[in-house]
Amino acid sequence: MKIFTDSGCDLPKSYYKENDIVLLPLRVHLNNNEYDDVMSIDSKEIYNAIRQGARPKTSQVSPELFLKHFEDLAKNEEEGIYIAFSSELSGTYSTAVMIRNQVQEQYPSLKLAIIDSKCASLGHGLVIEEAVRLRDLGAPFEDIEARIITLAPQIEHLFTVEDLDYLAKGGRVSKASAFLGGLLSIKPILNVEDGKLVPIEKSRGRKKAIARMLELMQERGGNFSEKVVGISHSDDAAFASDVKAAIQERFSPKEIQVTMIGSAIGSHVGPGTIAIFFTNKSYHA
């Protein structure tokens, strides 16, 4: 069975090859050039460009790329699952559904599930990892699909950004929220609700924002001894390391993964973002 994902999951570049995943890159437009996220641009380039005043833009996975891979899947009579970046943040999911339906007209036996994760960054990545784990255990297609559909809504996303203006300019949060976030070192705390980015609280300074995020982790996650926690950051590995240490000390989770936010999401959140991901209390492994 083939697992497809896009670069909205922010897993390390090496992960895809090591785990036999087909990566469908989102596209990044910077200084009149177009790049394939992960494949042809490093996210540090994006953050450095933003610091110098550039405003990169992004676009969804190429429809031609979907067509090629979905046709190959059909011709080889293989099963496939594509776990997509939130449809509220990208048009990639709906394009994939359209292309699959087109391919099915020619190949009616195509067996391809397309799942809208309603997740982003390493929250999306944790869902991919579960699909890989189940595939490697030999679980059947239908069981993996059902498990992912159950898991994805139970992934919590908590994050804070240095500057909400980046998200506002890209249309990801309202301009009013961005205005409030920019006042007097106020750091917004956001989460993801049904795939949308929603500011939920404000803290004065980043350290207070992180302290509050850990309180929210406790409220939403409960016992972490068997949980994997994800941390993603936009080019601030030192602070991400501090956050990891704080989470380890307070919750002692089974595992903590740290990754850098990729070029596509990084283009919208800007440098200095810290995000934490985990399953909520209602999730049962």
Side-chain angles (χ1 to χ4, degrees), residues 120-185:
S121 192
L122 199 49
H124 180 192
L126 294 177
V127 178
I128 306 298
E129 290 179 348
E130 177 66 0
V132 167
R133 186 184 74 82
L134 292 171
R135 179 204 63 193
D136 292 351
L137 286 172
F141 173 93
E142 289 79 8
D143 288 2
I144 298 174
E145 180 185 13
R147 176 72 158 179
I148 295 310
I149 288 170
T150 301
L151 168 63
Q154 296 178 315
I155 300 284
E156 295 286 339
H157 302 58
L158 292 170
F159 64 105
T160 186
V161 296
E162 277 292 284
D163 188 344
L164 262 176
D165 276 345
Y166 297 125
L167 285 168
K169 284 169 182 167
R172 267 58 182 187
V173 296
S174 73
K175 295 237 181 327
S177 297
F179 173 73
L180 290 171
L183 296 174
L184 303 172
S185 301

Side-chain angles (χ1 to χ4, degrees), residues 218-247:
Q218 183 78 67
E219 291 170 18
R220 296 182 180 191
N223 181 3
F224 279 82
S225 61
E226 293 302 313
K227 291 181 188 278
V228 176
V229 175
I231 301 171
S232 60
H233 65 93
S234 48
D235 203 20
D236 196 344
F239 194 65
S241 181
D242 291 345
V243 173
K244 178 182 178 180
I247 290 172

Side-chain angles (χ1 to χ4, degrees), residues 7-12 16 26 28 37-38 41-47 50 85 120-123 158-162 167 206 230-237 240 258-277:
S7 58
C9 65
D10 286 344
L11 289 165
Y16 306 103
L26 298 158
V28 181
D37 187 17
V38 180
I41 189 168
D42 183 87
S43 50
K44 275 186 174 286
E45 292 177 58
I46 287 291
Y47 298 124
I50 291 172
F85 183 34
S121 192
L122 199 49
L158 292 170
F159 64 105
T160 186
V161 296
E162 277 292 284
L167 285 168
R206 192 158 69 154
I231 301 171
S232 60
H233 65 93
S234 48
D235 203 20
D236 196 344
V258 182
T259 188
M260 192 185 297
I261 296 170
S263 303
I265 294 178
S267 294
H268 294 285
V269 299
T273 297
I274 292 282
I276 304 171
F277 311 94

Side-chain angles (χ1 to χ4, degrees), residues 26-55:
L26 298 158
R27 292 174 292 179
V28 181
H29 307 265
L30 176 67
N31 298 332
N32 299 315
N33 293 310
E34 181 179 284
Y35 303 91
D36 287 334
D37 187 17
V38 180
M39 308 302 287
S40 62
I41 189 168
D42 183 87
S43 50
K44 275 186 174 286
E45 292 177 58
I46 287 291
Y47 298 124
N48 289 336
I50 291 172
R51 291 182 183 110
Q52 291 160 18
R55 289 293 175 264

